Amino acid sequence: MDWIIVCSLVIFAFMIFSGVPIPFGFLVSIIFLEIAKGMDPSFLLPIGFTSLNSVTLLSMPFFIALGYIVTEGSIARRLLDFANAFAGRIPGGLGIVACVTSAVFGAISGAAASSVIAIGTIMIPEMERHGYPRGYSAALISASSVLSTLIPPSITMIMYAFVTSQSVAACFLSTVIPGLILTALLSFVNVYLVKKMPSVRTLPNVSFREKIALIGEKTKTALGALLLPVLILGGIYGGVMTPTEAAAVAVIYSILLSLFIYRELSFGKILLSLRSSVTATGTMMLMTFFAAILSRIYTMEQVPHAVSTILLSLSDNKYVLLLLINVFLLFVGMIVDALSGILLVTPLLYPVILKLGIHPIHFAAIIGVNLGVGMLTPPMAGILYMGAKTGKVAVNKMMKPIMIFIGCCYVPVILATTYWEPLSLYLPRLAGLIR
């Protein structure tokens, strides 16, 4: 591989570790390559603008806005109360409630950051009140929030579909089964760990009639929130709406729900949420703009071919190469966020997975799960640090349970997703989205 290309990657890594925002890390690498290779900027700039002219990308601002609105309101609280009515009175029940609610919340927001803030703000104090160590509670919420990147609609899967020109709906479905398995594993491991915590207190049992009445009451109060994922996913897979249209309708629905039904948000708070979403969208678009240019430069310099040649020279065994790809993805996830990771590595690894005969939708699930766990592993570990900040607890008090959740829950799901293709392809094939 050309030493100039290697230097550009080193510069990018240095910028990220120096705390420079990721879009500007891409930009500095581009400027270095332009100077070192004598490239014409007027040729490269249209590439960035063309990349933003995408119907697929159009859905992301709406899902980002939806995440801000539901995080600001009481939707998370209502979902938690609904789940608590079912599982809150069994040993480790509050932990199960946190896991399941994070999965359901993921079907609304599509972003782990929204989930850890919305669920953590409410759930961590509640779990501490029932004897759960604060560090453990923050770790469980952080680990569960990654489900939002696996349960559709997922912003990371939208980005993958954009980069690879695949069906957004198929990419959404590819991570559903891994996400559900991960939800179950997190819940079971939580119950096992809680049994060793004598300080944890379980809610007192109630009669069957009282429980049915409680479930009915919480279902009624949470019905509007529960209809959100039905509206989004039903609209997409029912063929009624495109993902972009479903996201736009969901934003309007959530605003009306928050203003006139739940009445917990004012017009001022809605506008603040929308302003925050515009800022986040601008950052994402800027990153996509620069990443598209950098990707085109790498393609022109045959970097994907070089990466493919290097990997295929290491082994001709498909399963060994998949393991190496997983290790590489985990490393990338440790230093950049999931969206940046997809923009950075997908163009490099895509030719490799095609040569290995791996279905692009299968690879969507592989990259989604790997970059998801990367958000929990230092040195970057954005979700881990956000969970610590939300829970007002030191990161070191979260590390032991986080490592348990990664080792007992995430690693098995990564391996199963990687080596058992039907796990990610069954639902897209059942829906007739792929062959």
Side-chain angles (χ1 to χ4, degrees):
M1 188 182 297
D2 191 338
W3 70 269
I4 295 178
I5 298 297
V6 175
C7 285
S8 74
L9 294 172
V10 171
I11 289 171
F12 176 77
F14 175 77
M15 298 292 288
I16 298 304
F17 282 113
S18 299
V20 174
I22 291 175
F24 296 109
F26 284 125
L27 175 60
V28 172
S29 296
I30 291 169
I31 293 173
F32 170 78
L33 287 169
E34 283 181 349
I35 296 172
K37 293 283 187 180
M39 295 180 175
D40 183 3
S42 64
F43 165 72
L44 295 173
L45 286 175
I47 296 170
F49 288 111
T50 302
S51 71
L52 298 181
N53 187 21
S54 167
V55 175
T56 302
L57 276 185
L58 189 60
S59 64
M60 294 187 69
F62 291 113
F63 281 120
I64 291 171
L66 180 62
Y68 275 96
I69 293 169
V70 299
T71 301
E72 187 69 27
S74 66
I75 288 176
R77 160 60 71 183
R78 294 169 188 272
L79 292 175
L80 284 166
D81 290 343
F82 173 75
N84 202 31
F86 286 91
R89 299 179 187 277
I90 64 177
L94 285 179
I96 297 175
V97 169
C99 297
V100 173
T101 307
S102 293
V104 177
F105 195 80
I108 299 173
S109 70
S114 299
S115 181
V116 75
I117 294 171
I119 306 299
T121 302
I122 301 167
M123 204 68 193
I124 292 173
E126 183 72 10
M127 293 174 73
E128 186 181 37
R129 193 167 68 85
H130 286 84
Y132 289 77
R134 183 168 278 265
Y136 173 83
S137 303
L140 180 61
I141 297 296
S142 300
S144 302
S145 69
V146 178
L147 293 167
S148 296
T149 65
L150 302 178
I151 304 295
S154 164
I155 292 176
T156 55
M157 288 296 100
I158 294 174
M159 185 60 78
Y160 176 86
F162 161 71
V163 174
T164 59
S165 301
Q166 296 295 319
S167 162
V168 174
C171 292
F172 279 172
L173 287 180
S174 71
T175 55
V176 169
I177 295 178
L180 293 177
I181 293 174
L182 188 55
T183 305
L185 286 176
L186 286 168
S187 299
F188 288 138
V189 171
N190 160 73
V191 171
Y192 175 79
L193 294 176
V194 166
K195 287 180 179 179
K196 299 185 178 183
M197 300 178 188
S199 61
V200 174
R201 299 181 300 277
T202 304
L203 292 172
N205 284 322
V206 295
S207 67
F208 179 75
R209 179 175 293 181
E210 289 174 318
K211 186 167 185 177
I212 293 298
L214 180 65
I215 290 173
E217 177 190 346
K218 298 305 179 184
T219 301
K220 183 179 178 181
T221 58
L223 185 59
L226 291 169
L227 286 176
L228 253 176
V230 175
L231 176 68
I232 297 168
L233 301 179
I236 294 172
Y237 294 109
V240 180
M241 295 179 280
T242 65
T244 301
E245 292 166 344
V249 170
V251 170
I252 296 171
Y253 174 83
S254 65
I255 291 174
L256 296 176
L257 185 69
S258 299
L259 285 175
F260 303 112
I261 306 299
Y262 292 159
R263 298 181 181 178
E264 84 277 1
L265 288 184
S266 63
F267 280 103
K269 287 187 176 180
I270 292 289
L271 289 175
L272 284 174
S273 295
L274 292 177
R275 187 174 71 176
S276 298
S277 71
V278 169
T279 303
T281 299
T283 303
M284 183 270 295
M285 290 299 180
L286 194 63
M287 181 172 65
T288 304
F289 178 86
F290 291 136
I293 295 175
L294 187 61
S295 175
R296 177 62 64 89
I297 294 174
Y298 284 162
T299 301
M300 290 166 54
E301 296 297 321
Q302 297 187 329
V303 176
H305 175 74
V307 172
S308 175
T309 302
I310 292 170
L311 282 174
L312 294 173
S313 68
L314 294 175
S315 174
D316 57 359
N317 188 303
K318 175 181 177 179
Y319 301 104
V320 173
L321 289 171
L322 280 171
L323 182 61
L324 292 174
I325 289 173
N326 275 321
V327 172
F328 178 64
L329 289 173
L330 283 171
F331 172 74
V332 170
M334 290 168 64
I335 60 174
V336 296
D337 63 271
L339 286 180
S340 305
I342 287 174
L343 288 170
L344 183 64
V345 305
T346 302
L348 300 179
L349 293 179
Y350 200 66
V352 181
I353 65 111
L354 292 180
K355 286 184 179 180
L356 292 176
I358 298 168
H359 198 290
I361 300 301
H362 180 200
F363 188 59
I366 294 173
I367 201 170
V369 177
N370 274 285
L371 293 181
V373 73
M375 293 188 287
L376 299 172
T377 49
M380 299 303 282
I383 294 302
L384 183 66
Y385 298 134
M386 190 172 290
K389 184 178 180 180
T390 302
K392 299 176 182 178
V393 62
V395 172
N396 65 315
K397 294 186 177 180
M398 299 171 59
M399 288 310 298
K400 182 178 178 180
I402 277 290
M403 289 299 107
I404 293 174
F405 291 133
I406 290 175
C408 297
C409 305
Y410 278 93
V411 171
V413 170
I414 288 173
L415 293 175
T417 303
T418 301
Y419 293 114
W420 190 28
E421 190 181 70
L423 207 63
S424 54
L425 297 186
Y426 174 74
L427 289 180
R429 282 175 175 155
L430 186 66
L433 298 172
I434 60 172
R435 292 184 179 181

